Structure formats: C-alpha cells, structure tokens
Amino acid sequence: MTMTLKQYLKPNTAVRPPVPSPEWWTPTGRSRGKRHFKFASKASSRGVAIIDDTAVESEARAERKGTLVLRARPDTLRVVEQSPQVEYVDANGVVHPHTFDLTVFRTDGKKIAVDFKPAAMVKRSGIRELHAVLVRQISPRTADQLLVLTERMYTRADLYNAELMHAIAREDFPKDDEIVLKLIRRMKGPASIADLVSRSKLGGYGFNATVRAIAAGHLRMTQRRLIDYSAVVIPAGTEG
C-alpha cells in the first residue's frame, strides 16, 4: 500500500510527546558491587541491568534472571550484586575469600546473601557445603541468611512478571500513576487489571501504570500467576 506524504507525517497517537531523546538521558548510578569483571566473554552471558537507577552487573544469564525475580518481590527494598565479600577458614585452617553473587536488602531490615547456581550444578559445585561452613563464621551484621537460588525455585510466571516490572518501571508517567493510585484508594475489594485499566481511561498506558503500582507495592496479586489483563489485584495490606 502506497502512503502519501500527509499520511506519513501524521502523528502517531500510540506514542506520547515528547519523543525520547538521548539528550535527556540521565547517567545511572555506578555499580555498588565489591567485585567486577570483564564483559567480553565467550563462556558466559555477562551484562548490566539498570535497577533502581543503578547499574547492576551480572556474570551469567541465570544471575540476571534471579536478580530480577528477587528484586520484584514485595519484601525486597534493594539489591547489590557481587556482595558481600567475606573470608572463611576451612577444615585445614586455611583462609579463603568468598564473594556472594547478590545481597538482598529486605523491607524488614534483614540482609540475604545469595549465590546463584543452575539446579543441575548445585551438588557437584559444593555450594551448599560451603554455605554450611560460612553460616557458622559469617557475622550477623554481614547477612542474616544465606541462600542458594536455582531456576527451580521460581516459576516462569515469576520471571515473566519480574521482567515486565523491570521494563515498565523505567517509564516516567507520574500523571498516569496518580490516576491509578486514586482508583486504588477507592477499591473496596479485588478487581481485575482490565477493570482498572478501563476505569483509568488510559488504555495501554493504564496497564503499565497498574504494573508500576504492583512493583511499588500499592497493589498485590491475589494469585501467583502472570500479570495480564485478566489477573486480579487488591490493594496492598487488604485481606482477600
């Protein structure tokens, strides 16, 4: 189909002004990790995710996935990769260093030191045995709990939701968020995301604002499932 110049220049109503520009880009915070590595690697998938306006490095795809899943939890305040760094003494009296893959800072003030491992490699890696040694020597001020996280400990829905919240959290539409927050304050019980979007009169932008409300802890899902239009949500702190 041939398009006329007038049709080509017609504003795209699906994209809100102003159009994003690299001139408005704000540098993110530097990684807070205690250990860094080269990103050029043929053996692993290394990269950086911008989480809470801070660069969070990952040495493998499993680390990135696990980090996003843990950050998406409502009881997580923030995360710092490649930390904490500790030393431990083995059975022969030799001192060794160990850097955890992630520290999870929870809303209740507790800190969880996490190591990521593929489920198939946990046994032969000896990571659980190492954690058994570390838990007896690590200071409570460093971590309240040690965790070995594998891909079997979260669902595909958990990962999908985490990646969705991560992607949408970077959008900045405060007026949309305020409209959805007003709807949340008026809620008397559970409601579908589709209903909230309809009442917001924001279309797809209303869906994104609802996802941000879930990520910010204003709403919670009533079931452990995919975040989509048919999902049912309820204001955080409400029974149901």
Side-chain angles (χ1 to χ4, degrees):
M1 177 180 176
T2 303
M3 183 180 292
T4 66
L5 178 61
K6 183 178 179 181
Q7 290 172 324
Y8 178 78
L9 295 176
K10 184 179 179 180
N12 184 351
T13 57
V15 179
R16 287 176 168 176
V19 176
S21 166
E23 295 178 1
W24 301 335
W25 178 73
T26 302
T28 58
R30 298 181 63 181
S31 165
R32 299 188 181 99
K34 301 296 184 182
R35 171 179 167 269
H36 301 279
F37 39 80
K38 294 181 179 179
F39 287 98
S41 172
K42 296 180 180 180
S44 62
S45 179
R46 300 175 177 179
V48 176
I50 307 304
I51 302 175
D52 300 320
D53 295 322
T54 301
V56 176
E57 301 172 1
S58 55
E59 201 166 6
R61 188 173 300 173
E63 285 187 22
R64 181 184 185 278
K65 291 179 178 179
T67 296
L68 292 180
V69 168
L70 289 171
R71 181 61 189 93
R73 288 179 55 93
D75 58 356
T76 296
L77 182 64
R78 63 187 177 93
V79 295
V80 176
E81 84 283 20
Q82 297 299 317
S83 71
Q85 282 185 331
V86 298
E87 289 185 339
Y88 67 95
V89 181
D90 67 15
N92 299 316
V94 179
V95 178
H96 300 273
H98 179 72
T99 303
F100 287 88
D101 293 324
L102 190 76
T103 299
V104 177
F105 294 83
R106 297 200 330 189
T107 53
D108 61 5
K110 292 185 177 180
K111 290 174 286 188
I112 315 299
V114 184
D115 277 317
F116 298 110
K117 289 292 179 185
M121 293 181 60
V122 168
K123 187 173 182 179
R124 65 185 179 193
S125 71
I127 189 64
R128 295 203 187 280
E129 291 77 8
L130 175 58
H131 276 206
V133 173
L134 290 169
V135 76
R136 296 192 297 267
Q137 301 184 28
I138 198 169
S139 167
R141 291 178 296 180
T142 301
D144 300 280
Q145 179 183 337
L146 309 187
L147 172 67
V148 178
L149 188 76
T150 77
E151 74 280 3
R152 294 180 183 174
M153 297 170 70
Y154 54 85
T155 67
R156 290 184 179 181
D158 293 332
L159 178 59
Y160 172 87
N161 292 346
E163 292 181 331
L164 177 67
M165 286 190 276
H166 172 66
I168 293 178
R170 299 189 65 190
E171 297 181 349
D172 185 24
F173 294 111
K175 291 183 179 180
D176 292 357
D177 296 337
E178 185 56 35
I179 288 172
V180 170
L181 279 174
K182 286 180 179 178
L183 292 173
I184 294 171
R185 297 187 190 110
R186 296 172 189 162
M187 290 176 66
K188 303 299 183 182
S192 69
I193 290 179
D195 185 49
L196 280 174
V197 173
S198 176
R199 291 175 182 273
S200 74
K201 296 181 173 57
L202 294 169
Y205 290 103
F207 176 82
N208 289 6
T210 301
V211 172
R212 287 195 295 275
I214 296 171
H218 302 303
L219 285 171
R220 66 178 177 84
M221 303 275 285
T222 59
Q223 292 181 308
R224 190 177 179 183
R225 52 156 294 169
L226 290 177
I227 297 176
D228 58 20
Y229 280 85
S230 62
V232 176
V233 293
I234 194 168
T238 304
E239 293 185 6

